[in-house]
Amino acid sequence: MDPITLLTFFVLSVFVGFEVVSKVSSTLHTPLMSGANAIHGIILVGAIIVAGRAEEPVLLVVALIAVLLATVNLVGGFVVTDRMLEMFGGRKRAASATDTEEAR
Amino acid sequence: MSILSTEWTAVLYLAAAVCFILALKGLSSPKSARRGNLVGAAGALVALVTVFLSTELDNVALIIVTIAIGSAIAAPVSRRVAMTQMPQLVALFNGVGGGAAALVAMLELGHVDGVGAVIAVAFTVLVGAVSFAGSIITFAKLQELMPTRPIVFPGGPVVMALAAVASLAAAVWLVASGDPLAAYVLLALGLALGVLFVLPVGGADVPIVISLLNAFTGLTVAASGLVLGNTLLLVAGTLVGASGTILTRAMASAMGRSVAGILFGAFRGGSTAGSTAVSDRPVRSSSAEDVAILLGYAQRVIVVPGYGLAVAQAQHTMAELATTLEAKGVEVVFGIHPVAGRMPGHMNVLLAEANVPYEALQEMDEVNPQFKTADVALVVGANDVVNPAAKTSPGSPIFGMPILDVAAARQVVFLKRSMRPGFAGIENELLFEPQTTLLFGDAKESLAKVLAAVKAM
């Protein structure tokens, strides 16, 4: 893709990124950080692409390590954010979550 | 497989990017936050299916097995982790993401052409390595695998400056030559820089550093999008980089600090020195029964929960005490400092888990004027966030941090494990004031005793 198009994407994304989180209460700082953290786990897409064209075994191993790390970031990130937000949910849902926690 | 045409691939990546924007938007409001996160996860799923269906890939079986292994590790850990350990888990996830981006860029070095792309590789390798190493150190600090206090050594700033200059030189070398060796050197320097960068940061500032490194990782993902010519990575990474920067500033201002100040050794020297020393000055300590009487006959009680409450897992006992007091006609509110716990909003999560109603949780600006009319301020396992030194002593490392004004309450009761200073490692003068009473012990046990005594009244 030509550099100018990529630059356009970049600049517009910066503004969108600034805009969407400009008014957030401090209560939600932790889940928001955690959710943003999960989103950059999308580097998994990049890791899959490089692993899919690795030819030498060494390169494949390194690429698969990247896949593993990226998966941990992506999956772990979304699950942990959901778990945090579960606590903010309705009282009933929070109560049932605590019950299962204690049953474990 | 290349089942999908280029156009469809682009449309599906666009859909995933829109999901990420909606996710961040949703996460900014309590009502839509959980749904927002699920929308984000759905976007990630769309993107993953798209990459498998649109790219000619070898080693597909191995890739899928690796993803399965990664999910099998990450999901249960995230499900089971104690709420108190959440910050370090986020730090760890952030670090591995940065590491993955650095590796992807290293591997792409052989495939890229054009100076712009090599610059993007250099950026990703360097910043990804900084983010990885820095996050691992923050993880170790929060997990208390290493001291939480700032670690400074003589000549630290010089070493740091040298490492930064060397990294820059290695980056120029990489861009000029495209030599893989330069990439390895850059990776190693990035790791060293990450460690040096986080070591001098004091425990209380660690959350801000996590947020900043999170923004860094976002930017590395954006840069690897440039390397791979993948617009989704570019957009998603930039979104995280931009929103992470805003969030870092918001967090820093909630603590009354500047990001630059934190990074360039704000918590250094001064009264932090010798801070683990336990003071032997006289304090007034009392029994659980006395505290119960203070609370039971009060009209208004403001509870200030801190990390000590979280570590002791005392949030349920605390919630029960609040309910019992309210049944006796005592008005109870919780004053939540923005950085109570170890991350902004952390305490809200913990108390919500214990079913404390959302309305009883008041933010600092709301609750501060109410201390004047409160009979008792009950400080449970908090210290730095109520330390008047933040207002009164300009030499203190926490000077300027907004605090909860508990000193204005008629009586102040501290539930503390010991006289050891808090996370920032500074003594709290309030402990020695005449209106202050201390009850020593584990927060959960102390609260249980107070609860029993209140019930017996």
Side-chain angles (χ1 to χ4, degrees), chain A residues 47 50-51 54 58-60 62-64 66, chain B residues 102-111:
Chain A
V50 293
V58 186
L59 297 185
L60 179 60
V62 177
L64 288 178
Chain B
L103 292 180
V104 167
M106 297 275 290
L107 291 167
E108 273 304 289
L109 188 58
H111 298 272

Side-chain angles (χ1 to χ4, degrees), chain A residues 13-67:
Chain A
S13 304
V14 168
F15 279 94
V16 174
F18 281 163
E19 201 50 44
V20 284
V21 299
S22 56
K23 288 184 204 100
V24 54
S25 93
S26 65
T27 316
L28 281 170
H29 280 171
T30 299
L32 182 62
M33 187 209 304
S34 180
N37 179 38
I39 289 174
H40 66 51
I42 201 63
I43 184 63
L44 179 55
V45 166
I48 290 171
I49 293 174
V50 293
R53 60 181 181 215
E55 278 149 20
E56 289 168 49
V58 186
L59 297 185
L60 179 60
V61 170
V62 177
L64 288 178
I65 292 174
V67 171

Side-chain angles (χ1 to χ4, degrees), chain A residues 1 6 9-10 13-14 16-18 20-21 24 26-30 32-37 39-40 42-54 59-60 62-88 91 93-94 98, chain B residues 13 27-30 33-34 37 40-41 47-48 51 57-59 62 66-67 70-71 74 78-81 83 86 89-90 93-94 96-97 100-101 104 107-108 210 214 217 221 224 226 228 230-231 233-236 238-240 242-243 246-247 251 316 343-345 348-349 352-353 355 357 363:
Chain A
M1 204 169 292
L6 291 173
F9 272 109
F10 175 74
S13 304
V14 168
V16 174
F18 281 163
V20 284
V21 299
V24 54
S26 65
T27 316
L28 281 170
H29 280 171
T30 299
L32 182 62
M33 187 209 304
S34 180
N37 179 38
I39 289 174
H40 66 51
I42 201 63
I43 184 63
L44 179 55
V45 166
I48 290 171
I49 293 174
V50 293
R53 60 181 181 215
L59 297 185
L60 179 60
V62 177
L64 288 178
I65 292 174
V67 171
L68 185 73
L69 296 181
T71 309
V72 169
N73 183 182
L74 187 74
V75 175
F78 281 117
V79 174
V80 89
T81 311
D82 187 62
R83 192 138 166 246
M84 279 179 205
L85 294 169
E86 196 173 73
M87 308 302 173
F88 284 98
R91 287 180 64 86
R93 216 168 38 204
T98 339
Chain B
Y13 279 158
L27 281 165
S28 309
S29 143
R34 198 164 181 203
N37 185 52
L48 288 183
V51 70
L57 295 171
D58 297 329
N59 317 316
L62 275 174
T66 313
I67 292 176
S71 313
S78 316
R79 275 273 147 226
R80 290 206 200 113
V81 65
M83 276 293 159
M86 213 137 264
L89 197 65
V90 174
F93 289 158
N94 178 51
V96 296
V104 167
L107 291 167
E108 273 304 289
I210 299 178
N214 188 35
T217 308
V221 172
S224 55
L226 290 178
L228 291 163
N230 184 307
T231 47
L233 293 187
L234 175 64
V235 171
T238 311
L239 281 175
V240 176
S243 58
I246 294 283
L247 191 58
M251 282 187 183
H316 294 278
M343 272 182 157
N348 302 67
V349 174
E353 184 196 8
N355 291 335
E363 288 186 26

